[in-house]
Amino acid sequence: MTALVLGAGAANAGETGTIIGSKACEEVAKMYRDMGYTARCYHIHGDRYYVNFEKPRPGALPSTGSAGSS
């Protein structure tokens, strides 16, 4: 499955643009985690989500990720 990210050019640092579907959001979050970031999906509204990601502090435990809501 290919994730659809809308408005990525307007995203804030550390956040993706809008992602359609929770499964697609989890796939994008996993890609960031595979690159060494902590990443978590957040629900915006309806079927829209975004991923918040950041490089972990040295010695911090890695994120397992989770679909959350804000």
XYZ file of all heavy atoms in Angstrom:
511
model
N 0.848 -1.189 0.000
C 0.000 0.000 0.000
C 0.881 1.235 0.000
O 1.882 1.298 0.686
C -0.891 -0.005 1.243
C -1.737 1.224 1.358
S -2.836 1.086 2.768
C -3.765 2.556 2.513
N 0.496 2.227 -0.754
C 1.216 3.487 -0.807
C 0.498 4.493 0.063
O -0.711 4.657 -0.037
C 1.271 4.016 -2.251
O 1.890 3.039 -3.058
C 2.029 5.304 -2.318
N 1.243 5.177 0.925
C 0.650 6.184 1.794
C 0.426 7.464 1.009
O 1.267 7.861 0.219
C 1.569 6.455 2.981
N -0.689 8.094 1.228
C -1.004 9.358 0.592
C -0.781 10.458 1.617
O -1.432 10.493 2.651
C -2.457 9.375 0.119
C -2.968 10.692 -0.448
C -2.168 11.070 -1.699
C -4.438 10.594 -0.770
N 0.184 11.335 1.345
C 0.489 12.444 2.237
C 0.094 13.725 1.521
O 0.577 13.998 0.428
C 1.979 12.477 2.614
C 2.272 13.650 3.531
C 2.394 11.174 3.267
N -0.781 14.498 2.133
C -1.246 15.745 1.537
C -0.560 16.923 2.201
O -0.424 16.957 3.416
C -2.763 15.892 1.718
C -3.612 14.745 1.190
C -5.072 14.976 1.551
C -3.447 14.621 -0.308
N -0.135 17.882 1.415
C 0.418 19.110 1.979
C 1.739 18.940 2.667
O 2.035 19.657 3.602
N 2.562 18.021 2.222
C 3.839 17.785 2.892
C 4.722 19.013 2.867
O 5.495 19.242 3.786
C 4.557 16.600 2.241
N 4.626 19.838 1.838
C 5.447 21.032 1.756
C 5.120 22.048 2.828
O 5.935 22.875 3.180
N 3.912 21.988 3.379
C 3.494 22.940 4.393
C 3.643 22.385 5.807
O 3.271 23.038 6.760
C 2.034 23.327 4.157
N 4.189 21.196 5.940
C 4.295 20.566 7.257
C 5.327 21.283 8.124
O 6.317 21.800 7.624
C 4.679 19.103 7.103
N 5.076 21.303 9.429
C 6.040 21.859 10.374
C 7.184 20.880 10.553
O 7.041 19.698 10.293
C 5.367 22.073 11.734
C 4.314 23.150 11.672
O 4.453 24.120 10.937
N 3.257 22.981 12.432
N 8.315 21.375 10.999
C 9.442 20.490 11.283
C 9.000 19.469 12.313
O 8.384 19.813 13.313
C 10.615 21.300 11.799
N 9.308 18.198 12.060
C 8.945 17.149 12.993
C 7.553 16.590 12.798
O 7.128 15.767 13.574
N 6.835 17.057 11.776
C 5.504 16.542 11.489
C 5.350 16.348 9.991
O 5.842 17.145 9.205
C 4.414 17.511 11.950
C 4.358 17.710 13.436
C 3.285 18.703 13.836
O 2.648 19.304 12.953
O 3.100 18.886 15.038
N 4.660 15.279 9.625
C 4.338 15.085 8.216
C 3.125 15.936 7.874
O 2.495 16.509 8.765
C 3.990 13.613 7.921
O 2.800 13.266 8.642
C 5.127 12.679 8.273
N 2.778 15.965 6.632
C 1.508 16.543 6.218
C 0.406 15.553 6.539
O 0.623 14.538 7.209
N -0.776 15.826 6.061
C -1.927 14.962 6.307
C -1.767 13.631 5.584
O -1.394 13.590 4.426
C -3.220 15.646 5.840
O -3.357 16.878 6.548
C -4.435 14.773 6.100
N -2.044 12.563 6.304
C -1.998 11.204 5.768
C -3.410 10.649 5.832
O -4.090 10.787 6.850
C -1.037 10.322 6.593
C 0.369 10.902 6.559
C -1.063 8.882 6.092
C 1.323 10.277 7.551
N -3.847 10.039 4.743
C -5.194 9.491 4.691
C -5.164 8.026 5.130
O -4.486 7.211 4.515
C -5.792 9.588 3.269
C -5.761 11.038 2.758
C -7.207 9.020 3.231
C -6.530 12.018 3.605
N -5.854 7.713 6.215
C -5.982 6.340 6.708
C -5.018 6.005 7.831
O -3.849 6.347 7.782
N -5.539 5.314 8.852
C -4.714 4.957 10.006
C -3.633 3.951 9.632
O -2.508 4.019 10.137
C -5.569 4.421 11.151
O -6.236 3.241 10.765
N -3.945 3.021 8.737
C -2.944 2.033 8.327
C -1.789 2.713 7.599
O -0.624 2.418 7.857
C -3.576 0.962 7.443
C -2.600 -0.126 7.066
C -3.251 -1.237 6.275
C -2.188 -2.272 5.914
N -2.713 -3.324 5.082
N -2.106 3.644 6.707
C -1.065 4.386 5.998
C -0.232 5.199 6.981
O 0.996 5.279 6.853
C -1.683 5.294 4.939
N -0.869 5.777 7.987
C -0.147 6.547 8.997
C 0.835 5.658 9.739
O 1.985 6.029 9.954
C -1.136 7.196 9.966
S -0.348 8.347 11.114
N 0.389 4.473 10.136
C 1.285 3.548 10.836
C 2.456 3.129 9.952
O 3.573 2.961 10.437
C 0.516 2.329 11.336
C -0.369 2.614 12.533
C 0.389 3.118 13.757
O 1.565 2.761 13.961
O -0.203 3.884 14.521
N 2.224 2.978 8.649
C 3.313 2.618 7.736
C 4.344 3.737 7.642
O 5.547 3.486 7.646
C 2.751 2.296 6.354
C 1.974 0.998 6.308
C 1.289 0.755 4.972
O 1.431 1.595 4.053
O 0.612 -0.279 4.849
N 3.867 4.982 7.581
C 4.791 6.127 7.530
C 5.558 6.230 8.845
O 6.781 6.441 8.851
C 4.027 7.429 7.222
C 4.939 8.651 7.374
C 3.436 7.377 5.818
N 4.867 6.061 9.968
C 5.535 6.113 11.270
C 6.602 5.031 11.365
O 7.707 5.276 11.864
C 4.516 5.961 12.398
N 6.314 3.840 10.861
C 7.289 2.754 10.883
C 8.515 3.114 10.044
O 9.650 2.835 10.438
C 6.674 1.451 10.381
C 7.657 0.280 10.435
C 7.052 -0.981 9.889
C 7.982 -2.168 9.949
N 9.348 -1.956 9.555
N 8.305 3.757 8.904
C 9.444 4.171 8.080
C 10.354 5.120 8.858
O 11.574 4.992 8.809
C 8.969 4.843 6.787
C 8.361 3.874 5.800
S 7.982 4.557 4.164
C 7.117 6.063 4.526
N 9.761 6.073 9.586
C 10.570 6.986 10.392
C 11.286 6.239 11.515
O 12.455 6.489 11.786
C 9.707 8.115 10.966
C 9.496 9.237 9.991
C 8.318 9.354 9.270
C 10.497 10.185 9.769
C 8.127 10.379 8.366
C 10.316 11.215 8.870
C 9.132 11.303 8.170
O 8.962 12.321 7.265
N 10.587 5.313 12.177
C 11.234 4.542 13.251
C 12.386 3.710 12.701
O 13.432 3.594 13.342
C 10.213 3.668 13.968
C 9.279 4.478 14.863
C 8.449 3.602 15.778
N 7.502 2.758 15.072
C 6.278 3.122 14.737
N 5.830 4.327 15.022
N 5.489 2.281 14.112
N 12.220 3.148 11.501
C 13.290 2.369 10.874
C 14.511 3.236 10.575
O 15.633 2.730 10.478
C 12.804 1.705 9.581
C 11.822 0.564 9.840
O 11.690 0.116 11.007
O 11.175 0.127 8.868
N 14.310 4.542 10.419
C 15.420 5.470 10.175
C 15.999 6.025 11.473
O 16.854 6.904 11.459
C 14.954 6.628 9.284
C 14.622 6.204 7.872
S 14.242 7.596 6.768
C 12.751 8.265 7.498
N 15.511 5.542 12.634
C 16.076 5.947 13.917
C 15.334 7.051 14.644
O 15.790 7.536 15.671
N 14.193 7.463 14.125
C 13.383 8.488 14.783
C 12.393 7.842 15.736
O 12.055 6.679 15.592
C 12.557 9.270 13.748
C 13.355 10.175 12.858
C 13.962 9.681 11.703
C 13.483 11.531 13.149
C 14.689 10.527 10.868
C 14.197 12.372 12.321
C 14.794 11.864 11.186
O 15.504 12.690 10.368
N 11.917 8.621 16.703
C 10.710 8.225 17.416
C 9.573 8.802 16.594
O 9.678 9.910 16.062
C 10.668 8.776 18.860
O 10.751 10.195 18.817
C 11.794 8.203 19.704
N 8.512 8.057 16.423
C 7.419 8.511 15.566
C 6.100 7.975 16.087
O 6.023 6.836 16.549
C 7.644 8.025 14.131
N 5.072 8.812 16.007
C 3.749 8.426 16.480
C 2.682 9.046 15.589
O 2.799 10.196 15.170
C 3.561 8.910 17.915
C 2.240 8.522 18.488
C 2.121 8.910 19.914
N 0.741 8.639 20.332
C 0.371 8.462 21.556
N 1.253 8.531 22.515
N -0.875 8.216 21.846
N 1.643 8.284 15.317
C 0.506 8.780 14.547
C -0.440 9.555 15.455
O -0.659 9.167 16.600
C -0.278 7.617 13.940
S 0.529 6.881 12.528
N -0.988 10.619 14.916
C -2.004 11.396 15.615
C -3.211 11.558 14.699
O -3.067 11.808 13.506
C -1.475 12.780 16.019
C -0.501 12.693 17.149
C 0.861 12.560 16.907
C -0.936 12.725 18.469
C 1.763 12.467 17.953
C -0.043 12.631 19.523
C 1.305 12.508 19.252
O 2.191 12.411 20.282
N -4.377 11.424 15.276
C -5.632 11.569 14.539
C -5.968 13.053 14.435
O -5.899 13.780 15.414
C -6.735 10.822 15.297
C -8.043 10.834 14.600
N -9.170 11.324 15.192
C -8.399 10.421 13.357
C -10.184 11.198 14.354
N -9.736 10.665 13.228
N -6.327 13.497 13.241
C -6.733 14.888 13.042
C -8.257 14.955 13.075
O -8.849 15.566 13.962
C -6.205 15.448 11.702
C -4.678 15.453 11.693
C -6.754 16.855 11.467
C -4.064 15.784 10.353
N -8.877 14.311 12.079
C -10.340 14.316 11.979
C -10.734 13.332 10.889
O -10.065 13.240 9.866
C -10.846 15.722 11.625
C -12.325 15.816 11.480
N -13.177 15.779 12.552
C -13.112 15.928 10.381
C -14.426 15.874 12.115
N -14.406 15.964 10.797
N -11.823 12.623 11.088
C -12.271 11.671 10.073
C -11.211 10.613 9.828
O -10.779 9.949 10.754
N -10.767 10.488 8.582
C -9.747 9.499 8.223
C -8.403 10.174 7.972
O -7.573 9.670 7.223
C -10.210 8.726 6.975
C -9.544 7.365 6.861
O -9.121 6.815 7.904
O -9.430 6.846 5.733
N -8.183 11.337 8.596
C -6.947 12.098 8.407
C -6.063 11.998 9.650
O -6.545 12.155 10.773
C -7.268 13.552 8.090
C -7.874 13.728 6.728
C -8.240 15.183 6.494
N -8.461 15.462 5.096
C -9.564 15.188 4.434
N -10.559 14.585 5.055
N -9.679 15.487 3.168
N -4.779 11.775 9.400
C -3.789 11.595 10.452
C -2.523 12.346 10.065
O -2.374 12.797 8.937
C -3.437 10.105 10.605
C -4.608 9.251 11.009
C -5.526 8.806 10.067
C -4.798 8.888 12.337
C -6.613 8.031 10.423
C -5.880 8.105 12.709
C -6.785 7.689 11.746
O -7.852 6.919 12.119
N -1.594 12.461 11.015
C -0.251 12.928 10.709
C 0.713 12.196 11.623
O 0.322 11.623 12.644
C -0.109 14.453 10.850
C -0.116 14.957 12.279
C 1.079 15.158 12.977
C -1.310 15.231 12.930
C 1.071 15.620 14.283
C -1.326 15.686 14.231
C -0.138 15.892 14.900
O -0.144 16.335 16.188
N 1.988 12.185 11.250
C 3.020 11.556 12.060
C 3.891 12.651 12.654
O 4.363 13.545 11.947
C 3.894 10.585 11.224
C 5.071 10.066 12.050
C 3.056 9.426 10.712
N 4.099 12.588 13.956
C 5.049 13.450 14.643
C 6.305 12.627 14.839
O 6.233 11.494 15.309
C 4.467 13.889 15.989
C 5.404 14.804 16.730
O 6.373 14.352 17.312
N 5.101 16.081 16.701
N 7.469 13.172 14.458
C 8.707 12.407 14.554
C 9.836 13.295 15.062
O 9.808 14.510 14.888
C 9.082 11.806 13.191
C 9.271 12.832 12.107
C 10.522 13.370 11.852
C 8.197 13.251 11.348
C 10.692 14.322 10.860
C 8.356 14.194 10.348
C 9.611 14.733 10.101
N 10.799 12.677 15.741
C 11.982 13.384 16.208
C 13.096 12.397 16.485
O 12.849 11.211 16.705
C 11.673 14.214 17.443
C 11.252 13.388 18.648
C 10.908 14.255 19.837
O 11.852 14.610 20.578
O 9.739 14.571 20.018
N 14.313 12.893 16.458
C 15.458 12.056 16.814
C 15.453 11.903 18.331
O 15.293 12.883 19.062
C 16.778 12.702 16.377
C 17.062 12.545 14.907
C 17.475 11.130 14.605
C 17.973 11.014 13.181
N 18.346 9.679 12.829
N 15.615 10.677 18.816
C 15.595 10.473 20.275
C 16.842 11.046 20.937
O 17.892 11.167 20.306
C 15.546 8.959 20.426
C 16.103 8.427 19.154
C 15.778 9.441 18.087
N 16.702 11.395 22.191
C 17.846 11.846 22.987
C 18.773 10.657 23.204
O 18.314 9.518 23.303
C 17.377 12.375 24.342
C 16.528 13.613 24.261
C 16.128 14.115 25.648
N 15.676 13.063 26.565
C 14.427 12.625 26.658
N 13.493 13.129 25.898
N 14.106 11.676 27.513
N 20.067 10.893 23.298
C 20.984 9.776 23.588
C 20.582 9.077 24.881
O 20.279 9.718 25.874
C 22.347 10.465 23.737
C 22.211 11.744 22.970
C 20.760 12.154 23.123
N 20.500 7.757 24.820
C 20.137 6.964 25.993
C 18.637 6.791 26.187
O 18.216 6.078 27.091
N 17.831 7.428 25.350
C 16.368 7.310 25.485
C 15.924 5.969 24.897
O 16.535 5.446 23.981
C 15.670 8.443 24.757
N 14.842 5.431 25.438
C 14.286 4.185 24.923
C 13.592 4.440 23.592
O 12.953 5.480 23.413
C 13.283 3.595 25.915
C 13.855 3.173 27.264
C 12.733 2.727 28.193
C 14.872 2.074 27.077
N 13.683 3.529 22.632
C 13.019 3.730 21.343
C 11.509 3.656 21.459
O 10.976 2.958 22.304
C 13.559 2.574 20.478
C 13.997 1.548 21.459
C 14.415 2.285 22.699
N 10.827 4.383 20.597
C 9.369 4.374 20.571
C 8.873 3.139 19.844
O 9.422 2.730 18.833
C 8.859 5.617 19.840
O 7.485 5.510 19.621
N 7.810 2.550 20.374
C 7.196 1.421 19.673
C 6.087 1.912 18.772
O 5.554 1.152 17.985
C 6.619 0.403 20.682
O 5.666 1.078 21.502
C 7.719 -0.193 21.529
N 5.725 3.175 18.890
C 4.684 3.742 18.032
C 3.307 3.332 18.488
O 3.124 2.358 19.199
N 2.337 4.115 18.060
C 0.965 3.843 18.470
C 0.053 4.802 17.737
O 0.412 5.931 17.472
C 0.861 4.074 19.980
O -0.437 4.304 20.374
N -1.131 4.330 17.425
C -2.121 5.243 16.855
C -2.764 5.984 18.011
O -3.337 5.367 18.904
C -3.168 4.457 16.058
N -2.631 7.268 18.023
C -3.198 8.055 19.106
C -4.164 9.079 18.559
O -4.437 9.123 17.380
N -4.671 9.884 19.411
C -5.509 10.982 18.963
C -5.132 12.200 19.771
O -4.642 12.101 20.898
C -6.984 10.658 19.111
O -7.316 10.482 20.465
N -5.327 13.332 19.176
C -4.990 14.564 19.891
C -6.220 15.377 20.145
O -7.284 15.089 19.691
C -3.986 15.364 19.078
O -4.434 15.567 17.775
